[in-house]
Amino acid sequence: MKHVKDLAPGVRLSWDDQTGIVWIDDYARGREHAAHPKIKRPRSADDMKRRGHWGPDERCVPSQSFIYNIDRLSIHEPLDDVARQHCRCAGNHATQRWYDFAQQQWVESAPDVS
């Protein structure tokens, strides 16, 4: 089941509770952000692995109309990292810095959430 939460005007976080995959739609810029690289179905993860773009043992999960490689991170913009912070896919989420959406800045260490 898909769930939705508005982060800001024109910025909507969505998640798939079956896979834990999170993506963010930025309607103002016409972009979608996610923490993990993805391919549009019907392309196959096996084809990406065979071509050497993804490793042979990397885990891939389908969500929406995409296949996500949950063992890789693809953080290029701040909203990619916000998606990483909310993602619950049991994949790789380790990083040295994170984006503080409220403060609109990169932070070098993870917040203390004791």
Side-chain angles (χ1 to χ4, degrees), residues 62-74:
S63 181
Q64 317 164 66
S65 58
F66 296 98
I67 299 172
Y68 290 83
N69 180 338
I70 64 171
D71 286 331
R72 288 190 184 207
L73 285 177
S74 181

Side-chain angles (χ1 to χ4, degrees), residues 20-111:
I21 294 289
V22 169
W23 64 95
I24 296 175
D25 292 304
D26 181 352
Y27 296 108
R29 294 178 57 207
R31 306 267 327 254
E32 182 180 285
H33 300 272
H36 304 291
K38 65 186 181 207
I39 56 172
K40 182 103 172 136
R41 290 192 261 181
R43 292 174 53 197
S44 85
D46 289 338
D47 188 41
M48 294 295 283
K49 292 176 181 184
R50 184 174 49 257
R51 292 177 184 210
H53 299 298
W54 292 352
D57 297 328
E58 291 178 340
R59 298 171 293 161
C60 299
V61 297
S63 181
Q64 317 164 66
S65 58
F66 296 98
I67 299 172
Y68 290 83
N69 180 338
I70 64 171
D71 286 331
R72 288 190 184 207
L73 285 177
S74 181
I75 308 294
H76 301 288
E77 297 185 38
L79 289 177
D80 296 337
D81 192 64
V82 174
R84 178 197 60 82
Q85 294 170 34
H86 290 87
C87 194
R88 301 292 177 259
C89 71
N92 175 19
H93 298 110
T95 185
Q96 295 297 313
R97 65 182 190 156
W98 64 283
Y99 190 76
D100 184 335
F101 189 71
Q103 299 295 320
Q104 298 287 300
Q105 66 183 0
W106 288 97
V107 179
E108 291 302 318
S109 60

